[in-house]
Amino acid sequence: MESFQGVITDIIFSNETNGYTVARIKSDDYVEVITGIIPGISAGENIEVTGDWSIHEIYGRQFVVKQYSVVMPTTETGIVTFLSSGVISGIGEKMATRIVERFGTNTLEIIQHNPEKLLEVQGIGAKKIGPIVESFRENLGVKNIIISLHKFGISPRICIKIYRKFGANSLDTITQNPYCLIDSIVGIGFKMADDIASMCGIEKNSPFRLEQGVLHVLKNAMNDGHMFLPENILLDEATRILGVEYEVIESTLYDLALDRKAIVEKYGDFNIVYLNRCYHAEVDVCSNLIELISTPVKPLGIDLEKELENFQEDNDILLAENQKNAVRAAFNNGVMVLTGGPGTGKTTTINTIIELLKKNREKVVLAAPTGRAAKRMTETTGEEAKTIHRLLEMAFDADDRVIFIKNDEDPIDADVIIVDEASMIDIFLMDNLLKAMKSKTRLIIVGDADQLPSVGAGNVLGDIISSDMIEIIRLNEIFRQAQESDIVLNAHRINKGKDIVANKEGTDFFFINRTGDSGILSEVKSLVSGRLNRYYNLDSLKDIQVLAPMRKGDVGVTNLNSELQEILNPRKNEWNELKLTKRTFRVGDKVMQIKNNYSKEWENERGTNSGEGVYNGDIGYIYHIDKSSKEMYIVFDEFKIYKYSFDELDEIEHCFCTTIHKSQGSEFPAIIIPISWGPPKLMNRNLIYTAVTRAKNLVVIVGEKKYLDYMISNNTVNDRYTNLGYRLRKYRTNNMLELDY
């Protein structure tokens, strides 16, 4: 192997996940290309590399790096280049030149050990010294940590977080107890910490490992939607994962309970175990709901019955009795739930409630769990609706954890809050929403409890409804216009576990029987590529949405996106496409934003209008790819153009096909649902019901009837370990809430 030193002139490619880098390095007046695992290097840095030369069949001569180290420059020219490269805060080329002219080759020694001497340089005052020194020392510390921790598989981005948390003690801290990273650093879980511990020689019976292993099982359960686990199930799973004796795990659980890191409660004849945060979220939601229920509501300033009659006359509608009851309940209760399936008049009822609340001079705020759901709510009500996260003014703390500005000390300014698509709200979001509500603010919860439960933990809407502690209005009458739709008919049949009615003349609901994944895939491609367009005058990209139950397999989301991209947006030229490791983006591709980004800026094509915010579930189209600046432009909502750097593309995924889960809260003119074999956990009634209710005008299911029949009969999706309903019922039984903190 050979070794040489040089200055990095530019980074051609860098993968932050695994550290693989391609860069140019200048050494002895020659510029060479280096490749390999070289995490954390930046242009302007002086490094020493060890490795071997190779000849790439396309890119030619390259140096494959096996080891590298950062070397501080020793020449005046090298020091100026290093200081002005951008790695040191507050120093540009002119300032770097002045510093080196004053201190020469001793410059870096001065900055590190005698920084007060920098006051001798024109343009540097006392306030500027601190940031320069801090940036210099952090740069050196981070580089050393990146090099030291790379063998553990920790990415440079995570290394920076570790250094900022633990500083110069980072390496010692990790080698002594890598499990401390789990609660301190976003992005490190039990498996990575356990792998590091194994490499560091930490024993399997280490108390650090045992405690985090038990908590890991509870966190996995939370990620699967559970609020708690029965004690025996927790102990069995932790024993299996950790590979130690059952009695050792049992003892560890009691230690966690004493430290209040886990909460053990008696439930009937057995114990149940919560993560601390799950327990307090559930208890707090229960407590705050009870407070809202118990607080007297604002007296009426209108004749409600008369205004109800006037509203119907003015809008030429006739409300069903349950719809009128919903309006009355909205005025008479601190909390009420409005639930019902498609075609039962939820939208009309909400609009009536809003109109009459405004007549009563109430300040009404509308919200929904996702951006797509909030937009639908805005469209159907004519009033502004926000995501719950935006309503709560979501932000991030120094450790990249979500926080909310609105809370019990700075509550939401509203008399009434109406929340739609409530089946999607998890326990933590509901907890934060309730904490940010004034005690006299009324809450109207709207949702379809038969749709998929929240992705996050809990079954909030279902538990509230089952408790019978809160006023529930169920809309169950299907209106005449909705009765004409087989989409509505079949949604209700599916919900009752009945077989679908399809393929009638003039219907809007079809089932196409195809066997095997290849047959299903071929049929879906045929439908999207023109058949539906010709018969229904649909735009394949904008009007037709393919919804798949799962991601994997030939008829899963990943493969369908690849197959449909070739049909709907085939390759035109190399400038219009960007190839990444596993994905190819093209101008014209249909894509979805998969993270809320409230600060993402947009402007229209002419630059005459602008704003900010793009939300999880928003669907857009790639407008332009600029490889020279490594930027992609995506248009959402017909005219909002957002700029993404290439390293932000983890926020974007293709959306020719998406999961049924991701479609929740959205509505599409036409949907195609491929149905093949899948795990029973996914193939359930709630999933197919949710998919069907996403369609406005047309549903086409393609697949094997036996799997569709299985989904309709499998009604087990809501089997989650949750206790909110029990806590609310206990209050009703005992007439007091027993909170055990």
Side-chain angles (χ1 to χ4, degrees):
M1 290 195 293
E2 296 184 35
S3 299
F4 65 90
Q5 287 187 29
V7 176
I8 300 297
T9 59
D10 67 302
I11 306 295
I12 300 171
F13 173 80
S14 179
N15 185 323
E16 286 201 0
T17 301
N18 59 23
Y20 181 78
T21 304
V22 180
R24 291 188 180 91
I25 185 170
K26 185 176 181 181
S27 176
D28 298 330
D29 295 327
Y30 290 98
V31 176
E32 304 284 1
V33 173
I34 58 173
T35 68
I37 307 300
I38 325 169
I41 61 171
S42 306
E45 288 187 307
N46 192 29
I47 67 171
E48 180 175 358
V49 294
T50 300
D52 297 300
W53 292 101
S54 71
I55 304 297
H56 191 280
E57 59 182 11
I58 296 176
Y59 301 110
R61 174 181 161 99
Q62 297 179 341
F63 189 80
V64 180
V65 177
K66 304 298 183 185
Q67 298 175 351
Y68 89 103
S69 60
V70 177
V71 179
M72 288 295 101
T74 55
T75 66
E76 291 187 1
T77 300
I79 294 171
V80 170
T81 301
F82 171 71
L83 292 179
S84 61
S85 65
V87 296
I88 308 300
S89 176
I91 298 181
E93 186 174 357
K94 291 182 179 179
M95 179 62 73
T97 301
R98 287 203 297 271
I99 295 172
V100 174
E101 284 176 351
R102 176 67 185 83
F103 301 113
T105 55
N106 294 323
T107 293
L108 300 183
E109 184 76 15
I110 293 294
I111 294 174
Q112 190 165 13
H113 300 294
N114 303 104
E116 68 280 356
K117 289 190 175 184
L118 292 173
L119 291 170
E120 300 172 16
V121 179
Q122 180 187 356
I124 297 182
K127 290 184 178 180
K128 202 167 187 177
I129 289 177
I132 290 174
V133 174
E134 183 180 349
S135 180
F136 178 79
R137 290 175 179 170
E138 180 175 303
N139 181 267
L140 292 184
V142 167
K143 295 301 178 189
N144 290 331
I145 289 298
I146 287 174
I147 294 169
S148 301
L149 298 185
H150 179 68
K151 63 184 177 183
F152 297 129
I154 302 176
S155 71
R157 182 180 294 179
I158 299 295
C159 287
I160 293 170
K161 293 180 182 179
I162 291 172
Y163 182 81
R164 288 176 178 167
K165 181 71 176 180
F166 300 107
N169 297 321
S170 296
L171 188 57
D172 289 341
T173 300
I174 290 170
T175 53
Q176 291 170 17
N177 177 22
Y179 299 100
C180 71
L181 298 174
I182 296 171
D183 295 324
S184 302
I185 307 297
V186 176
I188 292 188
F190 177 77
K191 187 177 186 309
M192 179 177 283
D194 207 36
D195 289 343
I196 296 171
S198 178
M199 286 186 270
C200 293
I202 294 174
E203 296 292 330
K204 287 175 65 175
N205 276 18
S206 161
F208 300 129
R209 179 174 187 266
L210 297 176
E211 286 195 1
Q212 287 298 334
V214 173
L215 293 175
H216 171 66
V217 175
L218 287 173
K219 289 174 183 175
N220 277 349
M222 178 185 70
N223 292 335
D224 286 338
H226 302 295
M227 293 298 300
F228 62 85
L229 283 178
E231 184 180 52
N232 63 313
I233 292 177
L234 168 63
L235 294 176
D236 286 343
E237 180 65 7
T239 300
R240 184 188 69 80
I241 288 176
L242 293 169
V244 297
E245 295 80 7
Y246 187 94
E247 292 74 20
V248 174
I249 302 297
E250 197 170 28
S251 176
T252 299
L253 175 58
Y254 295 147
D255 290 339
L256 287 168
L258 287 172
D259 292 337
R260 305 299 284 176
K261 293 179 182 177
I263 309 296
V264 180
E265 269 196 337
K266 195 74 175 174
Y267 186 86
D269 295 330
F270 57 93
N271 290 336
I272 59 175
V273 186
Y274 288 83
L275 282 173
N276 183 291
R277 67 184 292 238
C278 288
Y279 175 80
H280 287 291
E282 189 172 82
V283 169
D284 288 348
V285 166
C286 181
S287 175
N288 285 317
L289 283 172
I290 295 299
E291 182 179 3
L292 290 174
I293 293 168
S294 305
T295 302
V297 297
K298 177 181 175 181
L300 281 171
I302 59 173
D303 184 334
L304 182 58
E305 296 304 320
K306 184 175 181 180
E307 292 297 339
L308 256 174
E309 289 181 16
N310 292 341
F311 181 84
Q312 292 178 88
E313 289 180 10
D314 293 343
N315 292 275
D316 194 24
I317 59 173
L318 181 63
L319 298 175
E321 192 59 34
N322 256 2
Q323 290 179 298
K324 295 176 186 177
N325 289 337
V327 177
R328 296 176 185 120
F331 279 84
N332 297 326
N333 295 276
V335 183
M336 66 88 72
V337 174
L338 176 65
T339 187
T344 57
K346 289 198 300 294
T347 298
T348 300
T349 307
I350 294 169
N351 288 337
T352 306
I353 291 171
I354 292 171
E355 185 65 28
L356 298 189
L357 284 171
K358 288 164 65 178
K359 281 202 171 186
N360 200 47
R361 297 187 177 181
E362 308 271 9
K363 182 172 183 180
V364 183
V365 170
L366 309 184
T370 67
R372 293 283 293 182
K375 286 177 183 176
R376 277 190 68 200
M377 197 177 188
T378 297
E379 292 165 0
T380 57
T381 64
E383 304 284 339
E384 181 189 13
K386 297 180 179 179
T387 64
I388 298 174
H389 289 81
R390 180 174 278 280
L391 181 64
L392 295 173
E393 298 182 16
M394 186 189 84
F396 294 91
D397 64 14
D399 295 322
D400 287 339
R401 290 181 169 86
V402 171
I403 58 173
F404 296 104
I405 306 302
K406 290 295 180 183
N407 51 38
D408 53 351
E409 296 178 358
D410 181 18
I412 300 163
D413 181 20
D415 296 313
V416 182
I417 297 176
I418 303 177
V419 180
D420 199 7
E421 294 287 356
S423 63
M424 302 171 69
I425 301 176
D426 66 31
I427 194 73
F428 303 111
L429 190 56
M430 180 59 84
D431 184 26
N432 282 285
L433 175 63
L434 293 174
K435 284 176 178 174
M437 289 181 60
K438 301 174 186 176
S439 61
K440 292 185 178 181
T441 298
R442 271 175 281 172
L443 178 63
I444 299 173
I445 302 170
V446 184
D448 185 347
D450 296 311
Q451 287 192 25
L452 290 168
S454 59
V455 174
N459 185 19
V460 175
L461 180 61
D463 283 352
I464 289 174
I465 291 174
S466 69
S467 73
D468 278 340
M469 263 297 297
I470 290 168
E471 183 73 19
I472 311 293
I473 303 296
R474 293 177 173 86
L475 301 180
N476 45 31
E477 178 183 340
I478 303 175
F479 286 89
R480 184 174 57 81
Q481 185 176 358
Q483 289 175 354
E484 298 172 0
S485 168
D486 283 341
I487 296 174
V488 173
L489 169 69
N490 281 311
H492 287 273
R493 290 183 66 85
I494 289 169
N495 198 27
K496 294 175 182 177
K498 296 181 178 180
D499 193 10
I500 60 168
V501 175
N503 304 339
K504 297 189 304 183
E505 185 177 351
T507 186
D508 53 10
F509 198 104
F510 293 90
F511 177 81
I512 301 175
N513 186 60
R514 291 291 180 270
T515 58
D517 285 359
S518 60
I520 297 169
L521 176 61
S522 177
E523 185 67 24
V524 171
K525 289 164 65 175
S526 174
L527 289 166
V528 170
S529 63
R531 282 171 57 197
L532 289 185
N533 308 52
R534 291 192 295 271
Y535 285 106
Y536 294 96
N537 193 28
L538 296 169
D539 184 309
S540 292
L541 271 177
K542 295 184 178 180
D543 296 334
I544 301 173
Q545 184 61 54
V546 182
L547 302 179
M550 64 200 83
R551 289 190 173 273
K552 296 181 180 179
D554 287 347
V555 290
V557 169
T558 302
N559 187 61
L560 274 167
N561 269 319
S562 177
E563 296 275 356
L564 296 178
Q565 182 189 40
E566 294 306 315
I567 294 173
L568 298 174
N569 193 30
R571 186 176 190 271
K572 298 177 181 67
N573 58 66
E574 62 177 307
W575 299 109
N576 274 348
E577 80 173 19
L578 171 68
K579 289 188 176 181
L580 300 179
T581 308
K582 294 182 179 180
R583 299 187 293 175
T584 298
F585 289 107
R586 293 176 185 149
V587 172
D589 275 353
K590 185 178 184 179
V591 294
M592 177 184 284
Q593 175 79 14
I594 57 173
K595 298 178 182 178
N596 288 330
N597 190 334
Y598 297 98
S599 59
K600 191 73 173 172
E601 296 180 349
W602 62 266
E603 62 179 27
N604 63 4
E605 192 170 22
R606 296 183 179 180
T608 56
N609 196 7
S610 62
E612 59 183 26
V614 61
Y615 309 108
N616 184 9
D618 282 357
I619 294 175
Y621 303 88
I622 297 177
Y623 181 77
H624 177 63
I625 298 173
D626 188 338
K627 293 184 179 179
S628 61
S629 63
K630 296 184 178 180
E631 292 171 338
M632 181 183 291
Y633 295 80
I634 302 174
V635 59
F636 291 93
D637 294 334
E638 304 293 339
F639 68 93
K640 296 178 181 178
I641 300 174
Y642 296 81
K643 179 171 66 177
Y644 290 76
S645 62
F646 285 178
D647 60 7
E648 291 180 305
L649 294 182
D650 60 342
E651 295 186 12
I652 293 294
E653 67 180 22
H654 283 101
C655 190
F656 302 103
C657 174
T658 190
T659 63
I660 296 169
H661 282 85
K662 277 290 185 184
S663 73
Q664 200 167 358
S666 302
E667 187 177 63
F668 308 98
I671 63 168
I672 300 172
I673 311 169
I675 300 291
S676 181
W677 180 90
K681 186 177 179 180
L682 282 176
M683 305 295 284
N684 55 62
R685 184 185 301 171
N686 291 60
L687 194 74
I688 189 65
Y689 174 78
T690 300
V692 166
T693 56
R694 298 309 92 206
K696 188 175 181 180
N697 301 320
L698 181 67
V699 170
V700 182
I701 300 176
V702 181
E704 297 189 49
K705 188 64 164 53
K706 63 181 179 180
Y707 296 127
L708 175 60
D709 291 342
Y710 177 80
M711 292 183 79
I712 294 172
S713 65
N714 180 16
N715 196 29
T716 59
V717 71
N718 285 325
D719 290 346
R720 293 183 171 192
Y721 292 119
T722 67
N723 244 3
L724 177 60
Y726 168 77
R727 293 184 190 281
L728 289 167
R729 287 191 296 275
K730 189 166 76 169
Y731 172 85
R732 181 186 63 185
T733 302
N734 300 337
N735 201 28
M736 63 179 291
L737 188 62
E738 299 173 6
L739 300 183
D740 179 22
Y741 280 93

